Coordinates of all heavy atoms in Angstrom, one line a residue:
R1222 N 50.8 13.2 -5.7 CA 50.2 11.9 -5.4 C 51.2 10.9 -4.7 O 52.4 10.8 -5.2 CB 49.6 11.3 -6.6 CG 48.1 11.7 -6.9 CD 48.0 13.0 -7.5 NE 48.7 13.0 -8.8 CZ 49.2 14.1 -9.4 NH1 49.1 15.3 -8.8 NH2 49.7 14.0 -10.6
A1224 N 51.7 7.0 -3.6 CA 51.2 5.6 -3.7 C 51.6 4.9 -2.4 O 52.6 5.1 -1.8 CB 51.9 4.8 -4.8
I1225 N 50.6 4.1 -1.9 CA 50.8 3.3 -0.6 C 50.5 1.9 -0.9 O 49.4 1.5 -1.4 CB 49.9 3.9 0.5 CG1 50.2 5.4 0.8 CG2 50.0 3.0 1.8 CD1 49.4 6.0 1.9
Y1226 N 51.5 1.0 -0.7 CA 51.4 -0.4 -1.1 C 51.9 -1.2 0.2 O 53.1 -1.4 0.3 CB 52.3 -0.7 -2.3 CG 52.2 -2.1 -2.9 CD1 51.1 -2.6 -3.5 CD2 53.4 -2.8 -2.9 CE1 51.1 -3.9 -4.0 CE2 53.4 -4.1 -3.5 CZ 52.3 -4.6 -4.0 OH 52.3 -5.9 -4.6
M1248 N 47.1 7.2 -2.7 CA 46.5 6.2 -3.7 C 47.0 4.8 -3.2 O 48.1 4.4 -3.4 CB 47.1 6.5 -5.1 CG 46.5 5.9 -6.2 SD 47.2 4.2 -6.5 CE 48.8 4.6 -7.1
V1250 N 47.2 1.0 -2.9 CA 47.0 -0.2 -3.8 C 47.1 -1.5 -2.9 O 48.0 -1.6 -2.0 CB 48.1 -0.3 -4.8 CG1 48.0 -1.6 -5.7 CG2 48.1 0.9 -5.7
A1256 N 52.8 -6.6 -9.4 CA 53.7 -5.4 -9.8 C 53.0 -4.7 -11.0 O 53.1 -3.5 -11.0 CB 55.1 -5.9 -10.2
D1257 N 52.5 -5.5 -11.9 CA 51.8 -4.8 -13.1 C 50.7 -3.9 -12.7 O 50.5 -2.8 -13.2 CB 51.2 -5.9 -14.0 CG 52.3 -6.5 -14.9 OD1 53.4 -6.0 -14.9 OD2 52.0 -7.5 -15.5
A1258 N 49.9 -4.5 -11.8 CA 48.7 -3.6 -11.3 C 49.2 -2.4 -10.6 O 48.6 -1.3 -10.8 CB 47.8 -4.5 -10.4
L1259 N 50.2 -2.6 -9.8 CA 50.8 -1.4 -9.1 C 51.3 -0.4 -10.1 O 51.1 0.8 -10.0 CB 51.8 -1.9 -8.1 CG 52.6 -0.8 -7.4 CD1 51.7 0.0 -6.5 CD2 53.7 -1.5 -6.5
R1260 N 52.1 -0.9 -11.1 CA 52.7 0.0 -12.1 C 51.6 0.8 -12.8 O 51.7 2.0 -13.0 CB 53.5 -0.7 -13.1 CG 54.2 0.2 -14.1 CD 54.9 -0.5 -15.2 NE 55.8 -1.5 -14.7 CZ 55.7 -2.8 -15.0 NH1 54.7 -3.3 -15.7 NH2 56.6 -3.7 -14.5
G1261 N 50.6 0.1 -13.2 CA 49.5 0.8 -14.0 C 48.9 1.9 -13.2 O 48.6 3.0 -13.7
R1262 N 48.7 1.7 -11.9 CA 48.1 2.7 -11.0 C 49.0 3.8 -10.7 O 48.6 5.0 -10.6 CB 47.6 2.0 -9.7 CG 46.3 1.2 -10.0 CD 46.1 0.1 -9.0 NE 44.9 -0.7 -9.1 CZ 44.6 -1.6 -10.0 NH1 45.5 -2.0 -10.9 NH2 43.5 -2.2 -10.0
I1263 N 50.3 3.5 -10.6 CA 51.3 4.6 -10.3 C 51.4 5.5 -11.6 O 51.4 6.7 -11.5 CB 52.7 4.0 -10.0 CG1 52.7 3.4 -8.6 CG2 53.8 5.0 -10.1 CD1 54.0 2.6 -8.2
D1264 N 51.4 4.8 -12.8 CA 51.4 5.6 -14.0 C 50.3 6.5 -14.1 O 50.4 7.7 -14.5 CB 51.5 4.6 -15.2 CG 52.9 4.0 -15.4 OD1 53.8 4.5 -14.7 OD2 53.0 3.1 -16.3
D1265 N 49.1 5.9 -14.0 CA 47.9 6.7 -14.2 C 47.7 7.9 -13.2 O 47.3 8.9 -13.6 CB 46.6 5.8 -14.1 CG 45.4 6.5 -14.6 OD1 45.3 6.7 -15.8 OD2 44.5 6.8 -13.7
S1266 N 48.1 7.7 -12.0 CA 48.0 8.7 -11.0 C 49.2 9.6 -11.0 O 49.2 10.6 -10.3 CB 47.7 8.2 -9.6 OG 48.9 7.4 -9.2
D1267 N 50.3 9.2 -11.6 CA 51.5 10.0 -11.7 C 52.1 10.2 -10.3 O 52.5 11.3 -9.9 CB 51.3 11.3 -12.4 CG 52.5 11.9 -13.0 OD1 53.5 11.1 -13.1 OD2 52.5 13.0 -13.5
A1268 N 52.1 9.2 -9.5 CA 52.7 9.3 -8.1 C 54.2 9.4 -8.1 O 54.9 8.7 -9.0 CB 52.2 8.0 -7.3
S1269 N 54.7 10.2 -7.3 CA 56.1 10.5 -7.2 C 56.8 9.8 -6.1 O 58.0 9.7 -6.1 CB 56.5 11.9 -7.2 OG 55.8 12.5 -6.1
V1270 N 56.0 9.3 -5.1 CA 56.6 8.6 -4.0 C 55.8 7.4 -3.7 O 54.5 7.4 -3.9 CB 56.5 9.5 -2.7 CG1 56.9 8.8 -1.4 CG2 57.4 10.7 -2.9
V1271 N 56.4 6.3 -3.4 CA 55.7 5.0 -3.0 C 56.1 4.7 -1.5 O 57.3 4.7 -1.2 CB 56.1 3.8 -3.9 CG1 55.3 2.6 -3.5 CG2 55.9 4.2 -5.4
N1289 N 57.9 -6.3 -5.6 CA 56.9 -5.9 -6.5 C 57.0 -4.4 -6.8 O 56.8 -3.9 -7.9 CB 55.5 -6.1 -6.0 CG 55.1 -7.6 -6.1 OD1 55.8 -8.4 -6.8 ND2 54.0 -8.0 -5.5
V1290 N 57.4 -3.6 -5.7 CA 57.6 -2.2 -5.9 C 58.8 -2.0 -6.9 O 58.7 -1.2 -7.8 CB 57.8 -1.5 -4.6 CG1 58.1 0.0 -4.8 CG2 56.5 -1.6 -3.7
A1293 N 57.7 -2.7 -10.3 CA 56.7 -1.7 -10.8 C 57.4 -0.4 -11.1 O 57.0 0.3 -12.1 CB 55.6 -1.5 -9.8
V1294 N 58.5 0.0 -10.4 CA 59.0 1.4 -10.6 C 60.3 1.4 -11.4 O 60.9 2.5 -11.6 CB 59.1 2.2 -9.3 CG1 57.8 2.2 -8.5 CG2 60.2 1.7 -8.4
R1297 N 61.0 4.0 -14.1 CA 60.0 5.0 -13.8 C 60.7 6.1 -13.1 O 60.6 6.2 -11.8 CB 58.8 4.4 -13.0 CG 57.9 3.5 -13.7 CD 57.1 4.2 -14.8 NE 56.1 3.4 -15.4 CZ 56.4 2.4 -16.3 NH1 57.6 2.1 -16.7 NH2 55.4 1.7 -16.9
G1299 N 60.0 9.0 -12.7 CA 59.0 9.9 -12.0 C 58.8 9.5 -10.5 O 58.4 10.3 -9.7
V1300 N 59.1 8.2 -10.2 CA 59.1 7.9 -8.8 C 60.4 8.1 -8.2 O 61.4 7.4 -8.4 CB 58.7 6.4 -8.6 CG1 58.7 5.9 -7.2 CG2 57.3 6.1 -9.2
Y1349 N 41.6 3.1 -7.0 CA 41.3 2.4 -8.3 C 40.3 1.3 -8.1 O 40.5 0.5 -7.1 CB 42.5 1.9 -9.0 CG 43.3 3.1 -9.6 CD1 44.2 3.8 -8.8 CD2 43.1 3.5 -10.9 CE1 44.8 5.0 -9.3 CE2 43.7 4.6 -11.4 CZ 44.6 5.3 -10.6 OH 45.2 6.4 -11.2

Side-chain angles (χ1 to χ4, degrees):
R1222 272 80 61 207
I1225 298 179
Y1226 183 67
M1248 192 277 288
V1250 178
D1257 278 350
L1259 177 61
R1260 184 189 305 117
R1262 287 157 173 78
I1263 289 174
D1264 283 351
D1265 190 71
S1266 64
D1267 205 9
S1269 53
V1270 171
V1271 182
N1289 284 348
V1290 176
V1294 307
R1297 291 292 186 284
V1300 175
Y1349 286 83

